[in-house]
Amino acid sequence: MPLGLQTARALVIDDDYQEAHPVVLALSRLGIGSLYLNGDLELVRRNGPFRGIRLAFVDMDLQGQGTLSVEDTGRHAASYMSEAVSHDNGLLGILVWTKHQKAAESFFKELRSLLPSSAVLELGVEQKPGDLQIGGPEALDAVTKIVTAVTDRVGKASGMHLLWEWEQLTHEAVTATSENLIEVVRKGTTIKLSELESVSCGLTATLGLLAAAARDRTACTGIEAASQAFSALLPMLQDGAEYAYRQFDTMEEHDLSTLLAVAKDTQVLKDRGPMRRCRYGRLNRMVHVSRLDSGVPLLPGNVYKLTDDLATILSFDTGKVLNGLVSNKYKRERGDTESTVVIAEVSPACDYAQDKVEIPRVIGGALIPIERLNNVPSHDYIYKSFGVVHFDDDEANGLSGGTFHFALNARFLSGLSSALLEERTPLFRIRRNTLVDVQAWLARYGNRPGVITIAR
């Protein structure tokens, strides 16, 4: 049974550990955690696939029998690796050990077809040194060669280096958060720090308190309680991650010149081309929107499609909801993707936590394809701080893929029976920080005095 510590940044794949040992030693010198795999599929299937792998050193001949053709040897290694690494691993740099260029070509071609959602990068193709006796001079030379190759190639790729720095600093923030939890447990008067069971019970009790304090609704299962406890840890994690820059000392200023140029470019966010907006939309969606699976409970921030039956119950006119967001600038004839009129649940989270939700509050809004509207008008009654959001096909329940303006219309605020919403599956959920901003905006708009000045 996996215990939750399946973390590494590098894979070393070789059927002969003696030949793999210099790579493991080189990674140790670089301070990079690694996993060694010997080509045994059962080992991979029992513990894998691994996520977050950023480097791999792969021997092409994992059978050691020489019965396969050069091309098939490469394909076999790729097939093994595709089982060892998660298919949504993201970024993966690979250094291949082989003297046959065709084996490497077959390997990369096959692996990219098996991991279509990952960026599979070639860090080089090297011939493995011969007679690698552990501790021998050839092995030590190989260690130095590997350290130099990885340092040079990755050091020149500032984007990869930045991503790795982010992952490392976030990992350290998580570690600091866990240490803070242990500090709370350690100060418990009844905790015996030398006993596994006592410390474990102390941690369980601490996480249970966090779940009770931060819940959106009373947990019905242990899984829900654990999820609520983990959510409660996020502000602590954010606190640690916000000060990551204090530890950011592994890159020189000249390595960050391109990053600085983009960050200072005043025009970069004003580019309204479809491809740019698609990229911004993906980033905004990750910042503001949480994708959901089926079976999600009724919670603040859930966004539902405004169907005809719900519109009738709410006395909402879907056309007026949309028109209030687009005015006369809407190009109905543009594109094939229709706008989707929605309602968002915006009740205070504490009402759910205390089981005091009588009538969930909902507000009307819409997802408007960017090809039909250049920009959402700026009015007090419109919330448009989401910016554009992009969904791939099937990324949001029942929603066609595309890039959309997401906006809410405060002139359409009402209440709806919990039973009617609980039987429906949300399209997605507005993340908590953004939802708090929506609720504050709605409170300002809804409670405005509305004084009219009469000119004489």
Side-chain angles (χ1 to χ4, degrees):
M1 178 183 69
L3 295 176
L5 294 177
Q6 294 171 290
T7 302
R9 284 291 177 256
L11 282 183
V12 182
I13 302 177
D14 198 314
D15 63 332
D16 187 340
Y17 178 72
Q18 182 168 286
E19 296 183 354
H21 182 262
V23 183
V24 176
L25 186 57
L27 290 170
S28 297
R29 287 189 183 181
L30 291 166
I32 299 174
S34 63
L35 286 165
Y36 167 68
L37 299 175
N38 64 0
D40 183 350
L41 273 175
E42 288 305 314
L43 180 64
V44 167
R45 288 168 179 166
R46 185 164 61 248
N47 296 309
F50 299 102
R51 297 192 66 182
I53 300 299
R54 297 293 173 253
L55 277 173
F57 301 80
V58 187
D59 179 27
M60 291 293 91
D61 187 1
L62 298 180
Q63 292 186 323
Q65 300 172 354
T67 57
L68 298 177
S69 68
V70 170
E71 290 83 357
D72 284 344
T73 298
R75 283 189 281 267
H76 176 262
S79 177
Y80 177 79
M81 186 158 189
S82 71
E83 295 215 33
V85 176
S86 171
H87 285 202
D88 55 356
N89 187 75
L91 182 68
L92 179 60
I94 303 176
L95 193 148
V96 164
W97 294 115
T98 184
K99 63 182 178 182
H100 300 290
Q101 184 64 33
K102 288 186 177 180
E105 291 173 359
S106 296
F107 169 81
F108 282 112
K109 181 179 180 181
E110 183 73 8
L111 187 61
R112 288 187 177 111
S113 70
L114 295 171
L115 302 178
S117 299
S118 296
V120 179
L121 308 176
E122 300 181 36
L123 297 186
V125 178
E126 301 283 351
Q127 184 171 342
K128 187 187 300 181
D131 194 24
L132 289 176
Q133 299 295 324
I134 294 179
E138 292 85 358
L140 295 178
D141 287 344
V143 170
T144 302
K145 182 178 180 180
I146 294 164
V147 169
T148 301
V150 172
T151 303
D152 288 349
R153 288 166 182 164
V154 175
K156 294 175 182 176
S158 60
M160 287 178 61
H161 197 165
L162 281 166
L163 179 64
W164 292 4
E165 283 291 345
W166 160 246
E167 291 188 350
Q168 181 63 33
L169 293 172
T170 304
H171 173 76
E172 291 173 7
V174 172
T175 301
T177 302
S178 298
E179 290 168 352
N180 291 337
L181 280 182
I182 295 297
E183 182 67 12
V184 172
V185 172
R186 191 176 68 80
K187 293 184 176 179
T189 56
T190 62
I191 302 299
K192 296 181 179 179
L193 296 175
S194 61
E195 295 184 6
L196 172 66
E197 188 63 31
S198 179
V199 173
S200 177
C201 288
L203 280 169
T204 300
T206 302
L207 291 169
L209 288 172
L210 285 172
R215 67 191 177 204
D216 289 322
R217 60 187 293 157
T218 304
C220 297
T221 67
I223 296 296
E224 287 184 8
S227 177
Q228 290 169 355
F230 285 4
S231 295
L233 289 172
L234 291 179
M236 301 181 199
L237 173 60
Q238 184 176 0
D239 184 62
E242 282 179 348
Y243 294 99
Y245 69 90
R246 294 177 179 174
Q247 308 170 50
F248 199 82
D249 56 5
T250 63
M251 296 185 73
E252 300 294 336
E253 188 64 30
H254 62 78
D255 294 325
L256 302 172
S257 58
T258 302
L259 171 70
L260 181 61
V262 175
K264 293 175 68 174
D265 186 352
T266 58
Q267 299 300 314
V268 69
L269 295 179
K270 297 180 181 179
D271 187 339
R272 301 189 183 279
M275 295 304 294
R276 289 277 186 164
R277 282 193 160 190
C278 180
R279 176 189 283 182
Y280 301 153
R282 280 194 168 89
L283 290 172
N284 282 339
R285 195 265 303 153
M286 289 187 283
V287 169
H288 297 297
V289 170
S290 173
R291 292 171 294 178
L292 299 176
D293 297 323
S294 58
V296 174
L298 173 60
L299 289 172
N302 283 6
V303 177
Y304 302 86
K305 183 176 181 179
L306 181 57
T307 56
D308 291 341
D309 59 325
L310 288 180
T312 300
I313 295 169
L314 290 167
S315 298
F316 281 6
D317 184 313
T318 56
K320 288 185 177 180
V321 175
L322 179 61
N323 289 338
L325 296 172
V326 301
S327 66
N328 60 351
K329 300 179 180 180
Y330 189 55
K331 303 177 180 65
R332 299 182 182 276
E333 70 283 358
R334 292 281 186 88
D336 298 324
T337 305
E338 296 290 337
S339 295
T340 300
V341 180
V342 300
I343 52 173
E345 212 290 13
V346 292
S347 300
C350 60
D351 287 355
Y352 280 87
Q354 299 167 15
D355 295 323
K356 293 181 178 179
V357 178
E358 303 295 340
I359 300 293
R361 300 179 73 196
V362 295
I363 183 174
L367 290 158
I368 309 154
I370 60 170
E371 61 265 25
R372 298 195 176 196
L373 188 69
N374 289 329
N375 204 4
V376 177
S378 296
H379 297 298
D380 289 343
Y381 62 88
I382 294 178
Y383 185 91
K384 63 173 188 175
S385 296
F386 306 103
V388 294
V389 293
H390 180 89
F391 293 96
D392 292 325
D393 288 332
D394 301 322
E395 200 167 35
N397 177 56
L399 185 68
S400 299
T403 307
F404 305 88
H405 294 286
F406 179 30
L408 299 174
N409 189 339
R411 291 178 171 174
F412 291 84
L413 178 66
S414 187
L416 194 61
S417 163
S418 297
L420 286 173
L421 287 180
E422 285 175 342
E423 65 186 21
R424 297 167 190 269
T425 301
L427 297 172
F428 53 84
R429 186 180 178 197
I430 301 170
R431 293 194 187 277
R432 182 173 298 178
N433 286 351
T434 305
L435 178 62
V436 170
D437 191 54
V438 170
Q439 291 167 331
W441 157 78
L442 188 59
R444 289 194 303 271
Y445 180 81
N447 292 296
R448 69 197 191 287
V451 176
I452 299 176
T453 299
I454 302 175
R456 292 186 294 175

PDB file of all heavy atoms in Angstrom, residues 289-312:
ATOM      1  N   VAL A 289     -11.072  29.196 -11.149  1.00  0.00           N
ATOM      2  CA  VAL A 289     -12.084  28.157 -11.304  1.00  0.00           C
ATOM      3  C   VAL A 289     -11.515  26.790 -10.922  1.00  0.00           C
ATOM      4  O   VAL A 289     -10.407  26.431 -11.314  1.00  0.00           O
ATOM      5  CB  VAL A 289     -12.590  28.114 -12.767  1.00  0.00           C
ATOM      6  CG1 VAL A 289     -13.457  26.892 -13.009  1.00  0.00           C
ATOM      7  CG2 VAL A 289     -13.369  29.381 -13.082  1.00  0.00           C
ATOM      8  N   SER A 290     -12.294  26.049 -10.158  1.00  0.00           N
ATOM      9  CA  SER A 290     -11.945  24.681  -9.794  1.00  0.00           C
ATOM     10  C   SER A 290     -12.805  23.730 -10.604  1.00  0.00           C
ATOM     11  O   SER A 290     -14.036  23.808 -10.575  1.00  0.00           O
ATOM     12  CB  SER A 290     -12.185  24.457  -8.296  1.00  0.00           C
ATOM     13  OG  SER A 290     -12.002  23.097  -7.959  1.00  0.00           O
ATOM     14  N   ARG A 291     -12.139  22.844 -11.352  1.00  0.00           N
ATOM     15  CA  ARG A 291     -12.896  21.847 -12.107  1.00  0.00           C
ATOM     16  C   ARG A 291     -13.466  20.808 -11.144  1.00  0.00           C
ATOM     17  O   ARG A 291     -12.862  20.494 -10.119  1.00  0.00           O
ATOM     18  CB  ARG A 291     -11.995  21.163 -13.134  1.00  0.00           C
ATOM     19  CG  ARG A 291     -11.546  22.083 -14.253  1.00  0.00           C
ATOM     20  CD  ARG A 291     -10.502  21.430 -15.108  1.00  0.00           C
ATOM     21  NE  ARG A 291      -9.272  21.198 -14.350  1.00  0.00           N
ATOM     22  CZ  ARG A 291      -8.200  20.599 -14.846  1.00  0.00           C
ATOM     23  NH1 ARG A 291      -8.215  20.146 -16.067  1.00  0.00           N
ATOM     24  NH2 ARG A 291      -7.127  20.426 -14.112  1.00  0.00           N
ATOM     25  N   LEU A 292     -14.602  20.253 -11.484  1.00  0.00           N
ATOM     26  CA  LEU A 292     -15.285  19.333 -10.581  1.00  0.00           C
ATOM     27  C   LEU A 292     -15.608  18.018 -11.258  1.00  0.00           C
ATOM     28  O   LEU A 292     -15.850  17.962 -12.458  1.00  0.00           O
ATOM     29  CB  LEU A 292     -16.590  19.960 -10.073  1.00  0.00           C
ATOM     30  CG  LEU A 292     -16.445  21.259  -9.265  1.00  0.00           C
ATOM     31  CD1 LEU A 292     -17.822  21.800  -8.914  1.00  0.00           C
ATOM     32  CD2 LEU A 292     -15.655  21.009  -8.000  1.00  0.00           C
ATOM     33  N   ASP A 293     -15.622  16.953 -10.443  1.00  0.00           N
ATOM     34  CA  ASP A 293     -16.122  15.673 -10.908  1.00  0.00           C
ATOM     35  C   ASP A 293     -17.601  15.573 -10.558  1.00  0.00           C
ATOM     36  O   ASP A 293     -18.152  16.410  -9.847  1.00  0.00           O
ATOM     37  CB  ASP A 293     -15.357  14.524 -10.244  1.00  0.00           C
ATOM     38  CG  ASP A 293     -13.885  14.543 -10.626  1.00  0.00           C
ATOM     39  OD1 ASP A 293     -13.600  14.874 -11.787  1.00  0.00           O
ATOM     40  OD2 ASP A 293     -13.042  14.233  -9.770  1.00  0.00           O
ATOM     41  N   SER A 294     -18.244  14.530 -11.050  1.00  0.00           N
ATOM     42  CA  SER A 294     -19.662  14.338 -10.731  1.00  0.00           C
ATOM     43  C   SER A 294     -19.805  13.994  -9.250  1.00  0.00           C
ATOM     44  O   SER A 294     -18.876  13.527  -8.596  1.00  0.00           O
ATOM     45  CB  SER A 294     -20.236  13.212 -11.593  1.00  0.00           C
ATOM     46  OG  SER A 294     -19.513  12.014 -11.380  1.00  0.00           O
ATOM     47  N   GLY A 295     -20.974  14.232  -8.717  1.00  0.00           N
ATOM     48  CA  GLY A 295     -21.229  13.906  -7.324  1.00  0.00           C
ATOM     49  C   GLY A 295     -20.789  14.969  -6.345  1.00  0.00           C
ATOM     50  O   GLY A 295     -20.696  14.724  -5.145  1.00  0.00           O
ATOM     51  N   VAL A 296     -20.506  16.190  -6.816  1.00  0.00           N
ATOM     52  CA  VAL A 296     -20.065  17.271  -5.932  1.00  0.00           C
ATOM     53  C   VAL A 296     -21.265  17.793  -5.144  1.00  0.00           C
ATOM     54  O   VAL A 296     -22.336  18.022  -5.697  1.00  0.00           O
ATOM     55  CB  VAL A 296     -19.435  18.406  -6.766  1.00  0.00           C
ATOM     56  CG1 VAL A 296     -19.106  19.593  -5.879  1.00  0.00           C
ATOM     57  CG2 VAL A 296     -18.185  17.892  -7.452  1.00  0.00           C
ATOM     58  N   PRO A 297     -21.116  17.997  -3.825  1.00  0.00           N
ATOM     59  CA  PRO A 297     -22.245  18.496  -3.036  1.00  0.00           C
ATOM     60  C   PRO A 297     -22.538  19.958  -3.336  1.00  0.00           C
ATOM     61  O   PRO A 297     -21.737  20.656  -3.955  1.00  0.00           O
ATOM     62  CB  PRO A 297     -21.756  18.314  -1.591  1.00  0.00           C
ATOM     63  CG  PRO A 297     -20.260  18.377  -1.690  1.00  0.00           C
ATOM     64  CD  PRO A 297     -19.920  17.737  -3.004  1.00  0.00           C
ATOM     65  N   LEU A 298     -23.679  20.422  -2.871  1.00  0.00           N
ATOM     66  CA  LEU A 298     -24.055  21.825  -3.002  1.00  0.00           C
ATOM     67  C   LEU A 298     -23.162  22.652  -2.093  1.00  0.00           C
ATOM     68  O   LEU A 298     -23.144  22.467  -0.871  1.00  0.00           O
ATOM     69  CB  LEU A 298     -25.527  22.010  -2.622  1.00  0.00           C
ATOM     70  CG  LEU A 298     -26.046  23.452  -2.556  1.00  0.00           C
ATOM     71  CD1 LEU A 298     -25.893  24.139  -3.893  1.00  0.00           C
ATOM     72  CD2 LEU A 298     -27.496  23.458  -2.100  1.00  0.00           C
ATOM     73  N   LEU A 299     -22.381  23.564  -2.678  1.00  0.00           N
ATOM     74  CA  LEU A 299     -21.442  24.387  -1.923  1.00  0.00           C
ATOM     75  C   LEU A 299     -21.404  25.798  -2.498  1.00  0.00           C
ATOM     76  O   LEU A 299     -21.703  25.998  -3.672  1.00  0.00           O
ATOM     77  CB  LEU A 299     -20.025  23.787  -1.979  1.00  0.00           C
ATOM     78  CG  LEU A 299     -19.772  22.491  -1.206  1.00  0.00           C
ATOM     79  CD1 LEU A 299     -18.392  21.950  -1.543  1.00  0.00           C
ATOM     80  CD2 LEU A 299     -19.898  22.725   0.289  1.00  0.00           C
ATOM     81  N   PRO A 300     -20.994  26.782  -1.694  1.00  0.00           N
ATOM     82  CA  PRO A 300     -20.825  28.135  -2.230  1.00  0.00           C
ATOM     83  C   PRO A 300     -19.799  28.144  -3.356  1.00  0.00           C
ATOM     84  O   PRO A 300     -18.760  27.494  -3.281  1.00  0.00           O
ATOM     85  CB  PRO A 300     -20.299  28.926  -1.023  1.00  0.00           C
ATOM     86  CG  PRO A 300     -20.692  28.133   0.172  1.00  0.00           C
ATOM     87  CD  PRO A 300     -20.687  26.711  -0.252  1.00  0.00           C
ATOM     88  N   GLY A 301     -20.113  28.876  -4.425  1.00  0.00           N
ATOM     89  CA  GLY A 301     -19.207  28.945  -5.564  1.00  0.00           C
ATOM     90  C   GLY A 301     -19.575  28.007  -6.694  1.00  0.00           C
ATOM     91  O   GLY A 301     -19.065  28.164  -7.806  1.00  0.00           O
ATOM     92  N   ASN A 302     -20.438  27.025  -6.455  1.00  0.00           N
ATOM     93  CA  ASN A 302     -20.860  26.135  -7.540  1.00  0.00           C
ATOM     94  C   ASN A 302     -21.561  26.941  -8.639  1.00  0.00           C
ATOM     95  O   ASN A 302     -22.386  27.803  -8.353  1.00  0.00           O
ATOM     96  CB  ASN A 302     -21.827  25.064  -7.024  1.00  0.00           C
ATOM     97  CG  ASN A 302     -21.115  23.952  -6.277  1.00  0.00           C
ATOM     98  OD1 ASN A 302     -19.917  24.023  -6.039  1.00  0.00           O
ATOM     99  ND2 ASN A 302     -21.864  22.925  -5.897  1.00  0.00           N
ATOM    100  N   VAL A 303     -21.219  26.629  -9.877  1.00  0.00           N
ATOM    101  CA  VAL A 303     -21.817  27.309 -11.026  1.00  0.00           C
ATOM    102  C   VAL A 303     -22.596  26.282 -11.848  1.00  0.00           C
ATOM    103  O   VAL A 303     -22.047  25.249 -12.240  1.00  0.00           O
ATOM    104  CB  VAL A 303     -20.743  27.989 -11.895  1.00  0.00           C
ATOM    105  CG1 VAL A 303     -21.371  28.625 -13.134  1.00  0.00           C
ATOM    106  CG2 VAL A 303     -19.992  29.044 -11.086  1.00  0.00           C
ATOM    107  N   TYR A 304     -23.882  26.573 -12.095  1.00  0.00           N
ATOM    108  CA  TYR A 304     -24.772  25.649 -12.793  1.00  0.00           C
ATOM    109  C   TYR A 304     -25.281  26.286 -14.087  1.00  0.00           C
ATOM    110  O   TYR A 304     -25.427  27.514 -14.169  1.00  0.00           O
ATOM    111  CB  TYR A 304     -25.988  25.305 -11.922  1.00  0.00           C
ATOM    112  CG  TYR A 304     -25.661  24.699 -10.586  1.00  0.00           C
ATOM    113  CD1 TYR A 304     -25.377  25.512  -9.488  1.00  0.00           C
ATOM    114  CD2 TYR A 304     -25.648  23.318 -10.409  1.00  0.00           C
ATOM    115  CE1 TYR A 304     -25.079  24.966  -8.254  1.00  0.00           C
ATOM    116  CE2 TYR A 304     -25.363  22.762  -9.165  1.00  0.00           C
ATOM    117  CZ  TYR A 304     -25.075  23.591  -8.098  1.00  0.00           C
ATOM    118  OH  TYR A 304     -24.781  23.048  -6.873  1.00  0.00           O
ATOM    119  N   LYS A 305     -25.578  25.478 -15.059  1.00  0.00           N
ATOM    120  CA  LYS A 305     -26.225  25.972 -16.266  1.00  0.00           C
ATOM    121  C   LYS A 305     -27.656  26.372 -15.926  1.00  0.00           C
ATOM    122  O   LYS A 305     -28.364  25.658 -15.213  1.00  0.00           O
ATOM    123  CB  LYS A 305     -26.227  24.895 -17.350  1.00  0.00           C
ATOM    124  CG  LYS A 305     -26.835  25.363 -18.671  1.00  0.00           C
ATOM    125  CD  LYS A 305     -26.731  24.288 -19.745  1.00  0.00           C
ATOM    126  CE  LYS A 305     -27.329  24.779 -21.060  1.00  0.00           C
ATOM    127  NZ  LYS A 305     -27.217  23.758 -22.120  1.00  0.00           N
ATOM    128  N   LEU A 306     -28.074  27.541 -16.414  1.00  0.00           N
ATOM    129  CA  LEU A 306     -29.441  28.008 -16.177  1.00  0.00           C
ATOM    130  C   LEU A 306     -30.357  27.361 -17.216  1.00  0.00           C
ATOM    131  O   LEU A 306     -30.500  27.856 -18.338  1.00  0.00           O
ATOM    132  CB  LEU A 306     -29.518  29.532 -16.266  1.00  0.00           C
ATOM    133  CG  LEU A 306     -30.894  30.154 -16.001  1.00  0.00           C
ATOM    134  CD1 LEU A 306     -31.415  29.758 -14.624  1.00  0.00           C
ATOM    135  CD2 LEU A 306     -30.839  31.666 -16.131  1.00  0.00           C
ATOM    136  N   THR A 307     -30.944  26.248 -16.832  1.00  0.00           N
ATOM    137  CA  THR A 307     -31.854  25.525 -17.725  1.00  0.00           C
ATOM    138  C   THR A 307     -33.221  26.214 -17.753  1.00  0.00           C
ATOM    139  O   THR A 307     -33.519  27.074 -16.911  1.00  0.00           O
ATOM    140  CB  THR A 307     -32.010  24.074 -17.252  1.00  0.00           C
ATOM    141  OG1 THR A 307     -32.465  24.077 -15.887  1.00  0.00           O
ATOM    142  CG2 THR A 307     -30.664  23.338 -17.331  1.00  0.00           C
ATOM    143  N   ASP A 308     -34.053  25.824 -18.703  1.00  0.00           N
ATOM    144  CA  ASP A 308     -35.368  26.460 -18.853  1.00  0.00           C
ATOM    145  C   ASP A 308     -36.217  26.288 -17.601  1.00  0.00           C
ATOM    146  O   ASP A 308     -36.928  27.222 -17.188  1.00  0.00           O
ATOM    147  CB  ASP A 308     -36.096  25.867 -20.065  1.00  0.00           C
ATOM    148  CG  ASP A 308     -35.450  26.271 -21.382  1.00  0.00           C
ATOM    149  OD1 ASP A 308     -34.699  27.265 -21.390  1.00  0.00           O
ATOM    150  OD2 ASP A 308     -35.681  25.579 -22.397  1.00  0.00           O
ATOM    151  N   ASP A 309     -36.161  25.108 -16.980  1.00  0.00           N
ATOM    152  CA  ASP A 309     -37.007  24.891 -15.797  1.00  0.00           C
ATOM    153  C   ASP A 309     -36.534  25.730 -14.610  1.00  0.00           C
ATOM    154  O   ASP A 309     -37.348  26.289 -13.866  1.00  0.00           O
ATOM    155  CB  ASP A 309     -37.048  23.402 -15.427  1.00  0.00           C
ATOM    156  CG  ASP A 309     -35.672  22.829 -15.127  1.00  0.00           C
ATOM    157  OD1 ASP A 309     -34.701  23.253 -15.769  1.00  0.00           O
ATOM    158  OD2 ASP A 309     -35.568  21.952 -14.250  1.00  0.00           O
ATOM    159  N   LEU A 310     -35.199  25.871 -14.466  1.00  0.00           N
ATOM    160  CA  LEU A 310     -34.708  26.732 -13.387  1.00  0.00           C
ATOM    161  C   LEU A 310     -35.039  28.196 -13.662  1.00  0.00           C
ATOM    162  O   LEU A 310     -35.372  28.949 -12.736  1.00  0.00           O
ATOM    163  CB  LEU A 310     -33.189  26.566 -13.232  1.00  0.00           C
ATOM    164  CG  LEU A 310     -32.690  25.256 -12.616  1.00  0.00           C
ATOM    165  CD1 LEU A 310     -31.171  25.256 -12.547  1.00  0.00           C
ATOM    166  CD2 LEU A 310     -33.279  25.046 -11.216  1.00  0.00           C
ATOM    167  N   ALA A 311     -34.938  28.611 -14.911  1.00  0.00           N
ATOM    168  CA  ALA A 311     -35.268  29.994 -15.274  1.00  0.00           C
ATOM    169  C   ALA A 311     -36.723  30.306 -14.949  1.00  0.00           C
ATOM    170  O   ALA A 311     -37.054  31.401 -14.477  1.00  0.00           O
ATOM    171  CB  ALA A 311     -34.981  30.234 -16.748  1.00  0.00           C
ATOM    172  N   THR A 312     -37.617  29.358 -15.191  1.00  0.00           N
ATOM    173  CA  THR A 312     -39.042  29.548 -14.889  1.00  0.00           C
ATOM    174  C   THR A 312     -39.264  29.700 -13.388  1.00  0.00           C
ATOM    175  O   THR A 312     -40.001  30.586 -12.934  1.00  0.00           O
ATOM    176  CB  THR A 312     -39.853  28.363 -15.425  1.00  0.00           C
ATOM    177  OG1 THR A 312     -39.679  28.264 -16.845  1.00  0.00           O
ATOM    178  CG2 THR A 312     -41.331  28.538 -15.110  1.00  0.00           C
TER     179      THR A 312
END
